Amino acid sequence: MATEYPHRIALLGLGTIGLSMLAMHLRRPDTSITVYDPRPDYESQIRSTLPSLLDCPESTTIIGELIRTSRLKLATSLSVALENATIVQEQSPEKTASKQALWKEVASLSSPHAHLWSSSSGIPASAQAAGCEGVAERLVIAHPFNPPHLMPLIEVVPGPETKAEEVEFVKKYFSEVPGPGAAVGAAGSSADPSAKQHYRPVTLNKEMPGFVGNRLAFALLREACYLVGEGVVSAEDLDILVKASLGPRWAGSGVFESYHAGGGEGGIGAFFQKLAPTIQDVWGDLGQIDIEGEQPWKELVVKQTEDAYGTYTLAKRTKKEEMLRDVLELQKKNWEEL
């Protein structure tokens, strides 16, 4: 049965990201996925959550069918999960020591030819592979944005010792994963080559803590927390501001392209020249705040956010995901021009 699937993935860690990644991998019909999580309830989490991630929320049989056809296997130990794996992808806790310990186990239990991927949101491959013999040259960060079954970005971050062919392999793999709405394919079939590309792997040229996506997001988060903490704006109004300006603009143009257009005929160079004093004033006045311990701004941000949005329910998440799908479909229709 294993030979029917060119890509046999051991998916380690079935939290929110892991379950979403599982749904994404299953949309590619030439994969089988063996999952493992030390939590005793991970099977019930799969059965209750995966159908909706596969766009089959009412199905009572899809999990059983996936297991029956060996598209999905539920492992009871790490060693069983790694049997015959051609790809090992981890979503373990964001702690360097625990990832190093996991990779040492993986290296001792899996094929020396298996591709090694980490979904880490900020720990570089070189740090994870330290002290793990046979890992550094194969390990590459394949960092998805949440939720991976919808969001197109995959940050590909090799370490200094990662082989170039490992980088090319991971980019090709994700480029060929069908987008949301694609049916769970038949055993052994290949991805539809005519389908519009959904996932956008971006390769970073060097390691950096937090990589790029989260560094940008956290920079905005820091300034947002500072502004709320200083009483400049409420948390709810700040969100409205982003949704009514930066969000729609960046969905179509990104940072540099937006300001390149803002410079008129002279482009971004003219923009820098015209607004240099204002930009410098703002850069020099950006908030410097700490997140560790009890901070006055933190209590204010938490209270205002909870007052504005309440508990984040499944119904709210579903509505937001529907909106996100619409935005992504619009992007996809115009991707060549964006």
Side-chain angles (χ1 to χ4, degrees):
M1 178 66 72
T3 56
E4 294 182 10
Y5 304 100
H7 303 297
R8 300 183 296 279
I9 302 173
L11 196 63
L12 311 179
L14 270 294
T16 301
I17 297 295
L19 285 167
S20 186
M21 290 295 292
L22 173 58
M24 184 200 69
H25 285 305
L26 284 169
R27 291 205 302 262
R28 184 168 169 143
D30 55 357
T31 63
S32 67
I33 300 93
T34 301
V35 297
Y36 174 69
D37 193 300
R39 296 180 308 166
D41 64 338
Y42 93 87
E43 180 176 347
S44 63
Q45 286 290 318
I46 289 175
R47 292 185 179 277
S48 64
T49 305
L50 186 59
S52 63
L53 301 181
L54 293 172
D55 297 318
C56 304
E58 305 302 321
S59 175
T60 59
T61 61
I62 188 168
I63 304 300
E65 183 65 14
L66 288 170
I67 293 174
R68 186 188 68 79
T69 59
S70 295
R71 292 290 323 277
L72 174 62
K73 300 177 184 179
L74 310 181
T76 55
S77 69
L78 181 62
S79 60
V80 171
L82 295 171
E83 288 178 3
N84 301 313
T86 61
I87 297 169
V88 181
Q89 182 169 18
E90 70 86 26
Q91 286 86 209
S92 64
E94 283 290 282
K95 297 180 180 179
T96 302
S98 66
K99 289 186 184 294
Q100 290 172 346
L102 177 60
W103 286 125
K104 286 180 182 178
E105 284 194 87
V106 168
S108 68
L109 295 170
S110 63
S111 165
H113 306 293
H115 305 279
L116 307 181
W117 299 348
S118 171
S119 298
S120 173
S121 58
I123 303 175
S126 60
Q128 294 189 38
C132 308
E133 185 176 351
V135 171
E137 62 270 22
R138 292 185 287 151
L139 180 59
V140 61
I141 302 296
H143 172 228
F145 257 51
N146 194 19
H149 71 288
L150 295 181
M151 295 293 277
L153 177 65
I154 303 292
E155 280 187 299
V156 178
V157 194
E161 299 180 54
T162 307
K163 293 181 179 179
E165 52 263 39
E166 293 291 345
V167 176
E168 292 307 310
F169 178 83
V170 72
K171 288 170 62 179
K172 186 175 188 299
Y173 177 91
F174 283 105
S175 294
E176 295 175 353
V177 175
V184 177
S189 63
S190 58
D192 181 3
S194 65
K196 196 84 166 181
Q197 181 179 346
H198 180 78
Y199 287 93
R200 306 287 167 171
V202 173
T203 304
L204 273 57
N205 298 323
K206 60 189 295 187
E207 292 186 321
M208 185 74 70
F211 314 131
V212 171
N214 275 336
R215 288 182 74 93
L216 294 172
F218 291 167
L220 180 59
L221 176 62
R222 184 177 72 175
E223 184 62 13
C225 290
Y226 173 77
L227 292 170
V228 172
E230 290 294 303
V232 176
V233 66
S234 71
E236 185 174 16
D237 281 347
L238 187 139
D239 278 355
I240 291 173
L241 188 151
V242 172
K243 289 184 286 188
S245 60
L246 301 177
R249 175 185 290 174
W250 286 347
S253 296
V255 177
F256 291 122
E257 187 181 1
S258 293
Y259 290 120
H260 191 52
E265 293 184 1
I268 194 169
F271 178 85
F272 285 151
Q273 185 175 15
K274 294 173 184 176
L275 274 80
T278 298
I279 295 173
Q280 190 59 60
D281 284 346
V282 173
W283 282 356
D285 192 47
L286 290 174
Q288 299 292 321
I289 57 175
D290 295 321
I291 195 169
E292 300 288 350
E294 295 184 10
Q295 304 290 341
W297 67 261
K298 193 188 302 183
E299 182 178 349
L300 195 60
V301 166
V302 170
K303 183 180 187 309
Q304 289 190 12
T305 302
E306 291 179 345
D307 288 347
Y309 304 112
T311 304
Y312 202 62
T313 64
L314 177 60
K316 290 180 181 178
R317 188 184 75 182
T318 301
K319 183 177 180 179
K320 290 294 183 181
E321 287 189 357
E322 290 174 356
M323 184 185 302
L324 181 58
R325 286 172 185 263
D326 290 341
V327 172
L328 294 175
E329 282 303 309
L330 182 61
Q331 273 192 333
K332 198 180 300 187
K333 290 177 183 178
N334 300 277
W335 191 262
E336 287 77 9
E337 288 76 33
L338 292 182

